[in-house]
Structures are given as structure tokens and as C-alpha cells.
DNA sequence: GAGTGGTCTAGACCACGCG
DNA sequence: GCGTGGTCTAGACCACTCA
């Protein structure tokens, strides 16, 4: 019935005053609805953990059928931006949920189950402001010289130091972040980012290599020099593919391994 | 309207005539349809690359609406078992397609694009029959002592040896596999498995570690002893979660990196 | 123009969670 | 018992491909 974007002439005029684009850029209604919901998520109309309006409400709001809203939400759910719970509603996804904690951490113990280990113990080694190098700026879509926060920390499992991590965050978005905050917050760091800074990490990409640690790194991880380690370089994004964190981890793989499912 | 499996006799009553199972194991119609299509795929009713019947045909065959078939196929497509092409039909997925070649290989060149490198050159070092060890048997769901084929090979990119791989296959399913076949087949090895042995790899899991090569390994890969390498242990499955291949690769990560997307 | 997958609707009913 | 998401249907129309 109605339509909302480029291809349309009645419910909302097309406004295609531009040049003759080769691709008319047909966009199905449910994609447009998805965009609208995404916009609301992005602008905090509903907070992480909260329920979004029911499908029927959204259908009424956007003047489309429930089925169309459903398909939009289906895609958001597939991208982990939202979580459906039958009988209860649809909820804004959060890194604080018990079930999907450490969603981005693929390191598993060789023996037993991650749940046996319990959560990682964090040791903050460093937390300071600095100016972005050219490289750093490019990765985080900043300008060279912009403020950046660097964090260095160790994650230990059952007392064994296993991950040595450097984290870089755009200073702008994380004003006032302190080492204490990082050390004392219970739960995933990404959950704290949501709560205290309104920054939601939505997806990430990792580049993995095998490397040898330098002396200092070997000491922090309590391994002999010459022990091969996994270098995991992660770029994490918020909405709209905006990069918000660069992380470089050194993983011990003598007791753990990086686990990946391929489909 | 109709239904096909456990929960039903016709209108679709709950059918709780058995012991008091705590979970009635409700299975939606489209899941049952999915199972039926899966069964046909598994038993080769349609070969890799071929089109399966249209949604309308399948709907008629199973006596359900097109929408129900659609949802079943949607899931199969999401699992990469089938590929939809608007205007043409739905096709049995294959590892031989140009687009998704090397679906399971996550190693990318640091600079440039994988397409620039072109396909890997294969050097077969070994291809022999042996008896499964206890470990091997457990991984491949065989009995210790069952026949296993072991392949050792090198993959080179633009002439540079980059991956040293050991592959173990259940001898039963790969009778008659030869080193020549492995060396001369154009295209992904998994495509050859489909064509010559009717074995389709559907998903896989990898365990990744950083390791140091022994002398022989270092020589094959043409790297100095002490060069850290990625150890990638892959277990690949056919339909029904049946393991069909165990693979252990040593990846050089001085010019390449393992790339992973996290959602 | 015929056939295929893709979108959209409207309505009925089901499973689930909670009060 | 109500509200939510989940399933199923039937039918109309759209976009794409190919002969």
C-alpha cells in the first residue's frame, strides 16, 4: 500500500530530481522499515536490554502489515542487533546478557568448557591519552593527532595470564574513561561501553597471525621467550560501519585455542 | 492444513499420546518440509549445481502453501546448502562456483586481493592409506584400525609456499583417490570431492593455535626455523553432522593473515 | 510472455510467558 | 486470559531471466 523511499509516487513522493541513475535502486518496503528501526536504535529511542514496540505497534506506526515489520525485524535479529523472545517481545541486544557474554572472544580452553573457567580476571597495566598516529587515525577513521585512549591489560583465566591486550579508543566518544572503571566493572568491557558511554559494538573483523613476543610481552604472559603466540588484531564497529575500537591481543595457545565455525 | 511428522494426525492436534515427555517437541511444518528437502539433497535427488524444483512444485508435492516451502528454503539458503537466484530458480550449492571458491579458506594476502593471487598451486607430497589411530578414529567417527587416507601437500601463492597441509579422509568414502587426481583437478579440492565421490562438505570447525615448525616443516615452507606459524585444525562435516575430513594446516602469516568476521 | 524467486497483505490460529 | 512472537495460508503483484 504505502511506501517510504525512492520508488513511490503517493504515500510519499519520490523526490528523484537527480540524474538518470542506471540502477533505480529498488528497495523493498521491509528494507526501508528496517532502516527506520535501525535509526531509532542508533539514536537511543530504546536502550540496550529494553523491549522495542511490538510488531503490531510498529506495523501501525509505519502503516504497513505486520508481516513486513516481521521481515525487517528478522534481519535485525540475524545481525544480532535485536533479540526476539517468544511470548515476551523483541529486545535491543546488549553485551551484558548472560548468554552471549564475550560474543567476540573466540578463545576457548582446550579442556573443559568456558563456563568452568568463569569470567576473566582483568589487570589494567595502563590507561592513557595520546595523539593518534597516521596509522591509528586511518583505522579509527580519525584525523592524525586526534585524541586517542590507549589501554593495556592482561586477562587471566583461573589465575593464569592468557591474553595481553592493547586497546585504542577514540577519545571523543570515551571522555572520562578511567583505569578504575575498567578494572572494577563487573561483566564484559563492551557492556560497560554501552552503559557508560552509549557505544554499542555491533560487529568486528579480526586479522590473525602467529608471532613471537618480545621480552616484556613474554614476561607479562609468564611464558618463555620464543613461545609462539596468536596475534589477534580486531577492529570493532558500531552502527553504520563506524569503527570505534582497535584492539591487538596476544593470545597464549598452549592451554587455549581460537575457535571458529565455518559455514 | 496438512502435516507430516510426529506432532499431528490431521487438523494438527498436539498428539501427546506417548509417555509424558517433558518437551512435546513441537516442530513447525516448515521445519518438517526442510527436513524432507534435506533428505532429497542428501540422497542426491538433485546434483550439486542443478536446480531443485520450483517453490510452487514443491508446495504441490508436499501439499503445503508456497510460503511454507519458502521458509524452509530460506533456512537452507542461510546454511549455504542451496543458492537462490531470482528469475532462475534455487540451486544445490557447490564448492565449484566461481564466487564462493575456497569458502573455508580464511587466509588472505596482507596486501591486495585474493583474486590477484589467482588460485593456489598444489604440490602433493604424499598420498597413502593407513589405519586410523584411536585419536583419528574419534575425530572422524570411525573405529580404530579403519582405513584412512592421508594426504600431505603444499599450497603456494604466486610461487611462494604458504600452506603445509595434512589431510585425513575416511578410506571407505574415498576409495580410489589418487595423488594424480589431487594434483591435476582444476578448482577446489572440495569440488572434486563432490564430483568424484559424492561427498559434500557442508560446514566445518577450526581450532587455531600459534606453533613453531619442526625442521622438515620449516624446509617445506621455506622459512627459517623458529618462524611462528598458524596451526589450523579443521574438522569438516557433510550432511547430518557426519565428520568427513580432518585437516591440519600450517599457515605462514608473514605475507598473509587469517581473516575472520564477527557478528 | 512464461516461469521463477521476491515482496506485501490480511487474517487465522498456535506456542509461550506472565500475571 | 491477554499480549507477544511464531506459523500457515491464499492471493496479488513485482523484479529478474531467458527464450
Amino acid at each position: 500500500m504505502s511506501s517510504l523511499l525512492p520508488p513511490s509516487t503517493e504515500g510519499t513522493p519520490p523526490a528523484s530530481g537527480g540524474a538518470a541513475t542506471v540502477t533505480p535502486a529498488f528497495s523493498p518496503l521491509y528494507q526501508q522499515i528496517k532502516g527506520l528501526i535501525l535509526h531509532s536504535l542508533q539514536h537511543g529511542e530504546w536502550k540496550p536490554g529494553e523491549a522495542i514496540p511490538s510488531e503490531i505497534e510498529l506495523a501501525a506506526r509505519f502503516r504497513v502489515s505486520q508481516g513486513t515489520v516481521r521481515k525487517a525485524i528478522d534481519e535485525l535479529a540475524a545481525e544480532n542487533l535485536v533479540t526476539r523472545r517468544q511470548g515476551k517481545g523483541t529486545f535491543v541486544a546488549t553485551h551484558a546478557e548472560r548468554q552471549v557474554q564475550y560474543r567476540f572472544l573466540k578463545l576457548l580452553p582446550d579442556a573443559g568448557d568456558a563456563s568452568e573457567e568463569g569470567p576473566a580476571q582483568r589487570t589494567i597495566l595502563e590507561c592513557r591519552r595520546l595523539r593518534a598516529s597516521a596509522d591509528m587515525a586511518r583505522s579509527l577513521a580519525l584525523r592524525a593527532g586526534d585524541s586517542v585512549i590507549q589501554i593495556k591489560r592482561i586477562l587471566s583465566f583461573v589465575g593464569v595470564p592468557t591474553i595481553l591486550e592493547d586497546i585504542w579508543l577514540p577519545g571523543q566518544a570515551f571522555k572520562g574513561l578511567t583505569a578504575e572503571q575498567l578494572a572494577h566493572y563487573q561483566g564484559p568491557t563492551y557492556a560497560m561501553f554501552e552503559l557508560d558511554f552509549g557505544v554499542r559494538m555491533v560487529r568486528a573483523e579480526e586479522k590473525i597471525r602467529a608471532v613471537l613476543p618480545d621480552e616484556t610481552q613474554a614476561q607479562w604472559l609468564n611464558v618463555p621467550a620464543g613461545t609462539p603466540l596468536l596475534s589477534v588484531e580486531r577492529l570493532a564497529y558500531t552502527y553504520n560501519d563506524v569503527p570505534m575500537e582497535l584492539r591487538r591481543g596476544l593470545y597464549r595457545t598452549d592451554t587455549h585455542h581460537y575457535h571458529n565455525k565455518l559455514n
Side-chain angles (χ1 to χ4, degrees), chain A:
Chain A
M1 246 312 145
S2 67
S3 52
L4 304 146
L5 279 182
S8 138
T9 24
E10 50 124 352
T12 322
S16 62
T21 47
V22 185
T23 310
F26 163 75
S27 171
L29 230 200
Y30 76 88
Q31 285 287 2
Q32 304 175 34
I33 302 299
K34 181 184 169 189
L36 293 174
I37 298 176
L38 208 39
H39 187 268
S40 290
L41 283 170
Q42 218 171 125
H43 289 76
E45 182 172 339
W46 318 295
K47 302 274 172 257
E50 282 183 15
I52 73 174
S54 75
E55 295 179 351
I56 294 174
E57 277 180 82
L58 290 172
R61 179 199 296 195
F62 299 129
R63 313 294 206 84
V64 299
S65 79
Q66 186 184 353
T68 301
V69 171
R70 167 172 294 279
K71 183 140 191 188
I73 295 180
D74 278 347
E75 293 211 347
L76 294 171
E79 295 167 29
N80 289 309
L81 295 174
V82 116
T83 303
R84 322 191 72 146
R85 278 178 232 156
Q86 186 175 146
K88 301 183 71 176
T90 301
F91 299 78
V92 182
T94 166
H95 286 270
E97 297 169 66
R98 280 280 167 277
Q99 303 206 345
V100 288
Q101 270 183 337
Y102 302 106
R103 218 175 86 195
F104 290 168
L105 181 57
K106 300 292 204 176
L107 198 69
L108 296 181
D110 288 337
D113 192 88
S115 58
E116 295 172 23
E117 289 185 333
Q121 302 96 262
R122 288 188 283 261
T123 310
I124 310 297
L125 305 178
E126 207 175 292
C127 177
R128 53 173 189 154
R129 270 78 186 157
L130 43 78
R131 300 280 145 201
S133 67
D135 264 12
M136 190 62 56
R138 188 154 25 76
S139 292
L140 291 176
L142 303 173
R143 278 179 302 247
D146 280 359
S147 164
V148 164
I149 300 175
Q150 179 183 8
I151 299 152
K152 189 186 280 287
R153 66 176 190 175
I154 294 174
L155 300 183
S156 302
F157 295 98
V158 277
V160 181
T162 308
I163 299 179
L164 174 61
E165 237 170 17
D166 280 293
I167 303 176
W168 292 272
L169 302 165
Q172 179 79 24
F174 289 89
K175 281 202 178 95
L177 177 61
T178 66
E180 285 67 42
Q181 215 172 343
L182 285 162
H184 297 328
Y185 181 83
Q186 297 295 322
T189 302
Y190 287 151
M192 188 207 66
F193 288 175
E194 289 175 3
L195 207 59
D196 294 352
F197 301 94
V199 174
R200 287 208 46 216
M201 301 303 184
V202 151
R203 65 176 192 91
E205 301 197 4
E206 293 189 331
K207 293 182 184 181
I208 304 169
R209 293 183 180 81
V211 300
L212 294 179
D214 63 30
E215 253 182 59
T216 325
Q217 292 167 338
Q219 278 173 12
W220 283 125
L221 286 173
N222 196 25
V223 294
T227 306
L229 299 173
L230 227 51
S231 159
V232 179
E233 194 178 300
R234 177 193 301 169
L235 195 52
Y237 298 82
T238 6
Y239 296 107
N240 269 51
D241 291 326
V242 176
M244 281 299 268
E245 183 203 57
L246 177 62
R247 202 182 265 225
R248 199 214 180 203
L250 288 179
Y251 294 9
R252 282 181 59 173
T253 54
D254 46 350
T255 55
H256 291 66
H257 62 271
Y258 186 102
H259 187 264
N260 197 19
K261 289 183 201 294
L262 311 178
N263 298 299

